[in-house]
Amino acid sequence: MTLGRIAVLVKQVPKFEAMELGPDGRLVREGLELEMNPYCRRAVAKGVELAREHGGRCTVFTVGPPAAEDTLREAVAWGADDAVLVSDPAMAGSDTLATARALAAALEHEGPYDLILTGRNSVDADTGQVPPQLAELLDLPLLSGVRQLEVRDEGWIWAHCEHDDGWVDAEARLPALLSCAERLCDPCKVPPEGRAAVDPSTIKVLTSAHLGEGPWGLAGSPTTVGEVELRGVSRTPQRLEGTVAEQVAAAVDQLEARGAVGQVPEVVDEAGTPVVIDDWDRGEPLVVVLLEPKRMRSSQALLGEAAQLAQAVGGRVVGVLESAFADLTLFGSWGADHLVLVEGSAPPADVARAVAGWAAEHQPWAVLAPGTMWGREVAGRVSAHLGAGLTGDAVEMTVQDGRLVAWKPAFGGALMAAIVATSPTQLVTVRPGILPVRSPRPVEQRPSAETLKVVNRGRVVQLRTERDDEVDDLATAQVVVGIGKAVPPERYGELDELLSVLGAELAATRKVTDLGWLPRARQLGITGRSISPRLYLAIGTSGKFNHLVGVRAAGTIVAINPDPEAPVHDASDLAITGSWDEVVPALVAELRQRGFAADATVLEAAPTA
Ligand SMILES: Cc1cc2nc3c(=O)[nH]c(=O)nc-3n(C[C@H](O)[C@H](O)[C@H](O)COP(=O)(O)OP(=O)(O)OC[C@H]3O[C@@H](n4cnc5c(N)ncnc54)[C@H](O)[C@@H]3O)c2cc1C
């Protein structure tokens, strides 16, 4: 099989370390350093490698202002054959769907292509929804989070894909779109002098004059950004002094004073009461929830949230799920008034096609989906199919003037933006673990149900799926112990008592997940996850910006590192200077002495050494 033409799509993003927010909470753009999105660097490197291997051509595309040409120069200097800059003032202010439409038009103008590679997501907007929206617009299969790939015979490509908390091996029929994970290969990276040396004739510019009337930019964007709130957390780092025991005692004093350890009341909902909807015959508007198979916690949380929204707009909740997983009474107790049962199991692209057809007929007020790979693909494709606005990775939802307002963190959580869709149907994907699980309602009657046929088009074949973690465990943890490279995996057992006493979950830096010491779902940071626990203990990590951006919203951060110069000390609330293997047992002893012995069985089973 040869790959004659490969397209790679790249995005220019602000260099995070250089990012500043103005007093109005908006990004200060003047003088801001820009660079190629890290995931896109892998897509370029892989595209160039495949083109060389298969005697094909690799063309790199971006949509952006004229300055985005620098990113294309970098790709060409790395070995891409040529590049296309889609740039027009009319395209300013594009949301993800308008961007996907501009890219689709450019690819159709220059194509056809056998393979299209993109980054998994951009680190600034972090929605991951352009790839599925584009795949839908071009009617292509999509494989997301590709970590390894092989071109197979007779027009198929095989990929090992990194999903939220596990792995999927799948084959897709070419032409196909693949979104690349960070560790797919070494990144394309070229210094400024190499970029400047690129022959300008290798870069073509396309404007709306080439691509048609649009609508482009703001006019073609079914979402609008409303209020923006700065969510800065200011920390006053405190270096603790004395012996390890003295520092630990002072740290626990502070943690108790700050309420960072100890019992927390269980979250039910805002009013602390279960959601009760007594009227099952409510009509429209419909709040639809796309329920991912085998994700029970997120299904319960999303249905509870949908019930609250339905109450606010006087509507009812419709759950959409594979019939094999349908327990009508259970889903009814979680908030579903009606269930749409998808017959058979099919890849997300085919489920999306069926759901889009159903939604076009029923015109729901809102569609909520989990912010997982599955949810992003289904919701992204449905939004592209309907031309409806999609807000990705929302952490809060409210209703204002009859419209759904979805609050979305941006720039690593430094700000929160209120996004409103202008389309009749408003789509939202919700960050895993962020919604409270509301108590079930008593079910006197089962929800009504209908079936929905899905046609499996056979363009993606899932060969193997494996979960090596549970995405919600870390997302919902009140206390998280984040470990860096200094803690060797064979000694992780020495952290068990600390985890037990604090009721904490384990997380890690990229160096740790790169080495395979912990699952990738445990990585925090700019190319990992963002969490907001009450307490974060950073153990044996240098505390680089790229890591700590993932815990910016933590209530209290404690650093444990013997190097007084390590940046983690200045980025934390409490800094303990010492080696983890001395500090951790001292901390456990101190916490136990003050009555924080959480799980007696674990303590009994722990080595007594
Ligand atoms: C594009 C890009 C994206 C990235 N994305 C992420 C991301 O999402 N998440 C992420 O984490 N990183 C990310 N990184 C990498 C990040 O910049 C850092 O390299 C990484 O976080 C450092 O990992 P570390 O702290 O485990 O290791 P190191 O930086 O090697 O730090 C180890 C620390 O352990 C300390 N130490 C040594 N002995 C002990 C001891 N006995 N007890 C306690 N401490 C000890 C040392 O003093 C040192 O400070 C990214 C980088 C790039 C370029």
Side-chain angles (χ1 to χ4, degrees):
M1 166 77 203
T2 56
L3 286 176
R5 300 192 69 196
I6 298 169
V8 179
L9 315 181
V10 299
K11 183 179 178 191
Q12 201 179 37
V13 295
K15 208 169 189 168
F16 258 65
E17 283 98 320
M19 198 189 86
E20 268 184 60
L21 297 171
D24 58 353
R26 299 212 176 246
L27 187 67
V28 179
R29 291 191 179 271
E30 297 81 55
L32 191 65
E33 245 188 285
L34 298 164
E35 63 175 1
M36 196 189 295
N37 181 47
Y39 294 97
C40 300
R41 292 187 184 281
R42 274 66 184 190
V44 171
K46 189 45 96 178
V48 168
E49 181 193 314
L50 287 171
R52 287 202 182 132
E53 206 177 300
H54 292 268
R57 282 184 74 75
C58 175
T59 304
V60 179
F61 289 74
T62 195
V63 178
E69 194 201 83
D70 183 56
T71 287
L72 297 179
R73 285 175 168 270
E74 187 163 12
V76 173
W78 186 260
D81 296 284
D82 51 12
V84 177
L85 173 64
V86 183
S87 190
D88 194 308
M91 288 175 183
S94 295
D95 71 358
T96 60
L97 187 55
T99 304
R101 283 194 184 122
L103 285 165
L107 288 160
E108 274 169 350
H109 190 270
E110 298 294 307
Y113 292 93
D114 302 311
L115 181 66
I116 300 171
L117 300 175
T118 71
R120 198 191 72 160
N121 58 267
S122 62
V123 295
D124 56 350
D126 198 16
T127 67
Q129 61 202 34
V130 171
Q133 288 177 325
L134 182 60
E136 188 63 22
L137 293 172
L138 296 173
D139 192 19
L140 292 177
L142 168 70
L143 298 178
S144 302
V146 171
R147 274 282 291 269
Q148 278 172 42
L149 64 85
E150 273 171 34
V151 181
R152 294 266 162 99
D153 293 335
E154 286 155 28
W156 287 80
I157 193 153
W158 171 91
H160 179 53
C161 304
E162 180 181 275
H163 280 203
D164 312 277
D165 44 13
W167 301 92
V168 173
D169 288 354
E171 283 180 335
R173 191 196 293 276
L174 293 172
L177 199 148
L178 268 54
S179 83
C180 302
E182 217 195 342
R183 281 101 169 171
L184 172 62
C185 55
D186 285 338
C188 137
K189 221 167 192 176
V190 179
E193 53 284 10
R195 310 202 292 257
V198 165
D199 173 2
S201 71
T202 54
I203 299 172
K204 182 185 215 175
V205 179
L206 293 181
T207 66
S208 56
H210 303 94
L211 302 182
E213 292 284 287
W216 307 113
L218 276 178
S221 298
T223 56
T224 57
V225 182
E227 206 181 319
V228 176
E229 274 180 16
L230 199 55
R231 294 271 168 112
V233 181
S234 66
R235 299 189 195 276
T236 314
Q238 195 183 334
R239 298 253 177 170
L240 301 169
E241 284 171 4
T243 62
V244 161
E246 285 163 352
Q247 291 184 66
V248 163
V252 178
D253 284 345
Q254 294 271 347
L255 292 177
E256 283 192 292
R258 297 170 71 104
V261 285
Q263 286 295 317
V264 264
E266 201 179 316
V267 185
V268 180
D269 67 11
E270 270 172 21
T273 50
V275 178
V276 179
I277 301 176
D278 38 14
D279 179 3
W280 286 68
D281 295 322
R282 247 188 261 263
E284 299 191 336
L286 304 179
V287 183
V288 173
V289 183
L290 304 180
L291 299 162
E292 182 172 0
K294 300 186 198 158
R295 291 214 190 265
M296 297 305 262
R297 186 194 179 279
S298 107
S299 296
Q300 186 175 1
L302 281 169
L303 285 169
E305 185 73 12
Q308 295 282 93
L309 294 170
Q311 241 171 351
V313 295
R316 62 189 184 131
V317 177
V318 178
V320 180
L321 77 163
E322 276 185 24
S323 53
F325 300 101
D327 178 335
L328 265 61
T329 309
L330 186 66
F331 287 99
S333 75
W334 290 348
D337 304 304
H338 179 74
L339 288 171
V340 175
L341 305 175
V342 174
E343 281 190 326
S345 82
D350 298 322
V351 172
R353 186 159 277 246
V355 170
W358 184 93
E361 189 185 329
H362 292 86
Q363 295 282 317
W365 176 77
V367 178
L368 314 184
T372 55
M373 281 289 188
W374 181 91
R376 286 178 189 207
E377 179 166 359
V378 178
R381 284 183 178 272
V382 172
S383 81
H385 201 93
L386 299 178
L390 168 62
T391 306
D393 199 32
V395 295
E396 228 174 282
M397 278 164 285
T398 52
V399 179
Q400 219 174 359
D401 303 325
R403 303 296 296 169
L404 179 62
V405 182
W407 288 88
K408 183 205 176 328
F411 300 103
L415 56 84
M416 291 274 278
I419 316 279
V420 181
T422 52
S423 47
T425 296
Q426 315 162 84
L427 290 105
V428 179
T429 59
V430 184
R431 179 175 289 189
I434 205 82
L435 297 175
V437 171
R438 297 180 168 91
S439 309
R441 58 182 171 177
V443 183
E444 279 117 32
Q445 72 189 81
R446 283 148 53 105
S448 53
E450 66 184 285
T451 52
L452 180 67
K453 273 216 166 344
V454 177
V455 180
N456 188 334
R457 298 166 83 198
R459 301 193 306 181
V460 171
V461 180
Q462 278 200 1
L463 304 167
R464 194 181 68 96
T465 58
E466 181 202 325
R467 271 201 196 156
D468 58 0
D469 203 354
E470 174 49 63
V471 73
D472 278 348
D473 289 351
L474 186 55
T476 54
Q478 290 286 324
V479 181
V480 172
V481 170
I483 49 174
K485 206 185 152 201
V487 183
E490 63 278 8
R491 298 184 66 184
Y492 284 176
E494 292 174 45
L495 300 168
D496 283 352
E497 283 194 55
L498 182 65
L499 297 176
S500 163
V501 169
L502 291 171
E505 284 288 331
L506 205 54
T509 63
R510 187 174 84 166
K511 283 196 179 173
V512 169
T513 58
D514 267 352
L515 287 159
W517 293 353
L518 279 179
R520 148 86 201 159
R522 295 277 155 163
Q523 181 187 318
L524 301 176
I526 195 167
T527 51
R529 297 170 56 184
S530 297
I531 53 168
S532 49
R534 185 157 67 127
L535 172 62
Y536 182 67
L537 292 159
I539 301 184
T541 159
S542 52
K544 293 276 161 54
F545 177 90
N546 285 334
H547 175 70
L548 289 179
V549 76
V551 288
R552 201 198 283 263
T556 300
I557 301 180
V558 178
I560 299 170
N561 192 313
D563 176 6
E565 304 296 320
V568 70
H569 290 307
D570 291 328
S572 303
D573 300 282
L574 302 170
I576 300 177
T577 311
S579 177
W580 72 272
D581 49 2
E582 282 178 55
V583 176
V584 166
L587 196 52
V588 171
E590 188 69 36
L591 286 164
R592 273 171 154 184
Q593 200 195 327
R594 298 191 196 198
F596 291 99
D599 181 349
T601 51
V602 174
L603 291 180
E604 271 164 28
T608 46

